[in-house]
Amino acid sequence: MRRLILVTMLIVGAAWHGSDLLAFCGFYVAKADTKLFNKASQVVLVRQDDRTVLTMANDFKGDPKEFAIVIPVPTVLQKDQIHVGDKALLDHLDAYSAPRLVEYFDENPCSRMMYELRAPSAAPAMAGARQDSAAKARSLGVTIEAQYTVGEYDILILSAQQSSGLETWLRENGYRIPPGAASVLTSYIRQNLKFFVAKVNLKEQAKLGYSVLRPIQVAYESPKFMLPIRLGMVNADGPQELFVYALTPKGRVEATNYRTVKLPTGTELPLYVKERFPDFYKAMFSHQVRKENMSTIFTEYAWDMGWCDPCAADPLSSEELRQLGVFWQGESNPRPFGPGQVRPSPPIRSGPQNVFMTRLHVRYDAAHFPEDLVFQETADRSNFQGRYVLRHEWKGNESCEAADRYRRELPQRREREAQNLASLTGWDLGQIRRSMNGGRIPPPEPTKWWQQIWR
């Protein structure tokens, strides 16, 4: 059978929330009275043993001087543990792992063709001033553990004795803290977590020449394999979308404190879905979220990074994986981001790279996800992809027993496809039937006289 791979993109942010997107795992703290909301986030988690490299992509749209972010971190980070990455790497991961639509063409039943289509994939102060700031912070029970400029970002690492002091310090330094943050900050302080605060250094941004904010990456060691999401819900305007791309050496990643389930896959759908695949995917995901009472994390893709079938995009190269923080390739005991410690690996080839990718998708709010996400790496290396199937009918005139049987079975197949679509999305079955037939329901085909003879 012949196979052709066609490509249709679904950018995760634009597919979900339109143009004014923001994304990070922490909450946004805006200067002045600008009102900012978390909408959709993309996060890469690279994990081996207790070592983690976290990449956070932001889709902030607006004046960069209004951008700032607060994120809980497990330890005080050194400057060389912080890096500014390339958004194109996350775009490549998104394209590689996106749910996909595959398109088949039925062969002549008398003598069968297959085409495939990829789915939518799937948003510094001077030294004296610093000393004054540190003294004021200490009076509020806040310690400035470290401060750096990395790329276009000014970074502070803070610790605090109580949330009220931390809130006061942030407000006095021009950050607008959303109502309701205190209780969440208190829980992180009790866990002895630190606070990573980043804002844009406009002079450095102009010097570097970047017009968009690049992803922030941090490398750290901690026995906790988790992702803090509760701060991101404090100033959220309704439920949020989170896409997690986990890269691990052993196998699939799943949550330990929430159910992790696989999206429905392999279902045959009506042909008109091809022109409405982004709408289908959003409706299908929303319907599955409702069925699971918005308390589940969905696996959309799980695959060995060394290959793909079908390939919605090429697997990431060894150099791209290294830039995302995959530090265990080619070194016996490497550390991420250390100067001269990680050698570029050979160009990617078909076959195992000892990197397994898991794509997780969760819609969450404070009522249904009261805890941060806690993960574990499993030994499960079985492959999975969100995959939806279109089958074009054969239109030939040949006559044989197989062709006659094929034609008789087509009405049942069309009805099955319509019911599949209704079941996955919650769309009205009658409207689906009308859409399948150009807005009209055709009369049943008359039975041929010879089909009555040998039934």
Side-chain angles (χ1 to χ4, degrees):
M1 292 186 288
R2 294 189 297 123
R3 182 172 67 183
L4 172 68
I5 300 176
L6 307 174
V7 178
T8 304
M9 292 293 293
L10 171 65
I11 304 303
V12 292
W16 290 101
H17 293 287
S19 59
D20 295 324
L21 295 183
L22 312 172
F24 255 89
C25 339
F27 62 76
Y28 281 100
V29 281
K31 295 293 185 85
D33 279 334
T34 305
K35 192 175 183 182
L36 303 176
F37 297 109
N38 255 340
K39 288 295 188 181
S41 302
Q42 284 178 282
V43 172
V44 181
L45 283 173
V46 175
R47 176 80 172 183
Q48 184 192 44
D49 300 327
D50 287 347
R51 301 175 186 174
T52 300
V53 180
L54 171 64
T55 302
M56 301 162 285
N58 79 79
D59 291 326
F60 173 75
K61 307 294 184 186
D63 191 337
K65 70 182 180 182
E66 302 295 338
F67 172 86
I69 186 71
V70 177
I71 305 166
V73 291
T75 185
V76 175
L77 302 173
Q78 303 300 311
K79 184 174 182 178
D80 61 1
Q81 291 177 271
I82 306 169
H83 187 70
V84 179
D86 185 353
K87 180 60 164 60
L89 298 174
L90 282 86
D91 294 340
H92 193 170
L93 271 179
D94 179 29
Y96 171 76
S97 61
R100 59 211 61 199
L101 190 65
V102 297
E103 191 174 24
Y104 298 91
F105 287 75
D106 290 349
E107 291 182 350
N108 184 343
C110 298
S111 41
R112 269 182 185 244
M113 258 179 259
M114 180 171 55
Y115 290 76
E116 294 197 352
L117 174 71
R118 173 193 158 207
S121 12
M126 300 302 292
R130 285 180 172 179
Q131 292 173 1
D132 294 341
S133 177
K136 177 61 175 176
R138 285 194 297 272
S139 71
L140 295 169
V142 175
T143 300
I144 301 175
E145 302 282 359
Q147 50 189 327
Y148 318 110
T149 296
V150 181
E152 62 266 38
Y153 296 100
D154 286 337
I155 308 292
L156 293 176
I157 310 296
L158 306 177
S159 61
Q161 297 176 11
Q162 57 185 10
S163 64
S164 59
L166 180 58
E167 281 191 275
T168 299
W169 187 92
L170 289 168
R171 287 197 176 97
E172 288 183 353
N173 283 270
Y175 301 103
R176 184 171 180 264
I177 304 302
S183 61
V184 181
L185 292 173
T186 297
S187 70
Y188 288 127
I189 291 170
R190 288 173 178 169
Q191 296 176 59
N192 199 32
L193 294 177
K194 315 304 178 187
F195 296 92
F196 178 102
V197 181
K199 63 180 180 180
V200 178
N201 183 316
L202 297 177
K203 291 183 179 179
E204 289 297 319
Q205 186 190 36
K207 186 190 303 181
L208 293 168
Y210 291 104
S211 60
V212 296
L213 301 182
R214 294 178 293 166
I216 294 177
Q217 298 179 283
V218 294
Y220 57 88
E221 293 190 26
S222 172
K224 295 180 179 179
F225 186 17
M226 55 88 72
L227 189 63
I229 62 171
R230 287 181 295 149
L231 276 179
M233 292 184 279
V234 172
N235 62 338
D237 183 19
Q240 300 173 80
E241 306 292 329
L242 173 63
F243 296 85
V244 177
Y245 311 109
L247 302 173
T248 54
K250 294 180 182 177
R252 182 178 54 81
V253 167
E254 64 185 14
T256 61
N257 57 338
Y258 297 100
R259 289 180 63 235
T260 305
V261 301
K262 295 176 180 177
L263 274 183
T265 189
T267 308
E268 294 186 3
L269 302 173
L271 293 179
Y272 81 90
V273 171
K274 179 177 179 178
E275 305 303 324
R276 298 186 58 191
F277 192 43
D279 294 334
F280 158 76
Y281 177 65
K282 289 188 289 184
M284 182 271 298
F285 187 80
S286 296
H287 192 58
Q288 302 309 311
V289 168
R290 288 192 295 270
K291 288 174 64 175
E292 296 289 343
N293 193 33
M294 207 169 108
S295 58
T296 298
I297 299 171
F298 292 92
T299 300
E300 293 186 329
Y301 192 81
W303 212 276
D304 190 309
M305 182 57 74
W307 67 293
C308 47
D309 181 26
C311 289
D314 290 337
L316 273 68
S317 69
S318 294
E319 175 60 20
E320 288 176 304
L321 292 170
R322 185 193 66 79
Q323 291 179 40
L324 284 169
V326 175
F327 52 87
W328 57 83
Q329 295 191 102
E331 291 283 348
S332 58
N333 189 30
R335 301 278 176 165
F337 303 143
Q341 292 179 325
V342 179
R343 297 191 302 267
S345 300
I348 193 167
R349 65 184 189 280
S350 178
Q353 282 196 306
N354 201 30
V355 179
F356 195 88
M357 178 186 177
T358 308
R359 174 183 172 127
L360 301 173
H361 184 180
V362 58
R363 180 174 297 168
Y364 64 99
D365 62 16
H368 298 88
F369 283 82
E371 301 176 2
D372 293 319
L373 303 182
V374 181
F375 299 109
Q376 67 178 5
E377 180 187 13
T378 73
D380 179 13
R381 295 184 69 90
S382 57
N383 295 321
F384 171 82
Q385 59 183 233
R387 176 185 175 104
Y388 307 95
V389 181
L390 304 182
R391 287 180 60 191
H392 289 264
E393 299 172 7
W394 174 69
K395 300 295 186 182
N397 296 318
E398 289 88 337
S399 181
C400 65
E401 182 178 350
D404 293 342
R405 182 170 61 251
Y406 173 86
R407 294 185 181 100
R408 288 197 302 271
E409 293 173 352
L410 282 177
Q412 293 92 333
R413 181 172 116 180
R414 295 168 190 150
E415 178 62 19
R416 187 166 58 248
E417 292 170 350
Q419 294 190 14
N420 287 344
L421 182 56
S423 176
L424 284 179
T425 62
W427 288 349
D428 179 72
L429 182 59
Q431 181 58 52
I432 291 171
R433 290 172 177 149
R434 288 188 290 274
S435 297
M436 291 175 69
N437 296 284
R440 61 181 180 83
I441 301 177
E445 293 186 6
T447 302
K448 303 293 191 297
W449 65 268
W450 61 84
Q451 293 174 339
Q452 302 287 342
I453 301 175
W454 296 291
R455 279 193 171 181

